[in-house]
Amino acid sequence: MKLDHITSRDNPALVRLRKLTADAGGYRKTGSLWIEGDHLLRAALQRGWQPALVVLTEGAMQDAALAALAGSAPRALVVPMALFKGLSGLESPAQIGAELTLPAAPAIDPAAASVVLDRLQDAGNVGAILRSAAAFGVRQVLALKGTAALWSPKVLRAGQGAHFGLRLVEGLAADDLAQLTVPLIATSSHTEHVLHRVALPSPCAWVMGHEGQGVSPELMARCALTVGIPQPGGEESLNVAAAAAICLYESERQRG
């Protein structure tokens, strides 16, 4: 490992990383990701990802565990906390971050259990859904155009490492879903089918819609089944990430 102590904010690597972190979709142009914190870095390493560069603070170098993580990359930059804050999107910045090379976008697996994201715009919701997908064994997430950038720093933080075990395909049009051989299912308040009382197809693709507009009519027309989630509390609707977790759990419960 090459170890460089950097004190200038004009260092070319730091300038490049600041541009990357400032643009939610910057990874699409550069093919590189920025992940912050030892949790995400460990999650990536456990899934076989190899960081191209690690950046850590001078204080982190005094922590044996964090210093060991720095050794996972061929090059590490040690910087003052003030410079690390320039890369961070957190109010309380972590002590370590890494640059990863994003692999080529995978093709859609037609037969895979999936989650389809229809123009979800909140990064926290998207990341939470990715966490639920990973937790319940759904390995493919398909994002239609208009959905928050899947590999943006905010979605990565919300995903808490789920990204590295998922097949993620984004920038899709509704017509691209014709490649799927599994049936599409959406939630709806206008259906006679109740989630836990209907036999769910397995595998299937759960369609989760825009936070305000829901699933588009075009995509709803492609769904083989719509189901309702009981809400005896009388609320108008559930947060989309909560709805996704409930649906994915019920699919797993029925499979089990």
Side-chain angles (χ1 to χ4, degrees), residues 32-244:
S32 295
L33 305 172
W34 168 255
I35 60 173
E36 184 176 350
D38 60 300
H39 176 82
L40 281 181
L41 180 51
R42 287 192 175 95
L45 291 170
Q46 287 170 2
R47 289 288 184 173
W49 290 60
Q50 184 69 34
L53 174 70
V54 166
V55 183
L56 69 165
T57 66
E58 294 165 340
M61 275 301 292
Q62 307 308 311
D63 183 306
L66 296 181
L69 279 178
S72 65
R75 184 186 181 201
L77 305 182
V78 181
V79 301
M81 176 57 85
L83 290 185
F84 193 90
K85 286 181 177 179
L87 304 175
S88 178
L90 301 174
E91 289 187 11
S92 299
Q95 297 282 316
I96 190 169
E99 181 182 18
L100 306 177
T101 300
L102 185 65
I108 293 175
D109 181 347
S114 305
V115 175
V116 177
L117 305 179
D118 179 19
R119 300 164 296 128
L120 271 69
Q121 297 182 342
D122 184 87
N125 283 337
V126 173
I129 291 172
L130 266 55
R131 288 184 72 180
S132 293
F136 294 117
V138 175
R139 296 303 177 195
Q140 178 165 265
V141 177
L142 308 175
L144 272 61
K145 294 175 184 175
T147 298
L150 295 189
W151 294 97
S152 68
K154 287 185 178 180
V155 177
L156 277 160
R157 287 196 296 270
Q160 287 290 298
H163 287 71
F164 306 115
L166 295 171
R167 174 187 293 265
L168 302 177
V169 189
E170 60 180 345
L172 299 172
D175 286 346
D176 292 322
L177 300 179
Q179 298 177 48
L180 292 174
T181 57
V182 298
L184 274 62
I185 307 178
T187 60
S188 172
S189 57
H190 308 290
T191 179
E192 61 184 17
H193 302 294
V194 180
L195 175 64
H196 63 284
R197 294 177 183 163
V198 64
L200 298 172
S202 181
C204 66
W206 281 101
V207 180
M208 312 311 299
H210 181 277
E211 288 88 349
Q213 302 167 10
V215 177
S216 70
E218 178 187 5
L219 196 49
M220 189 68 83
R222 293 176 178 268
C223 292
L225 176 66
T226 58
V227 298
I229 299 174
Q231 296 176 61
E235 295 299 322
E236 181 179 349
S237 64
L238 285 169
N239 168 272
V240 66

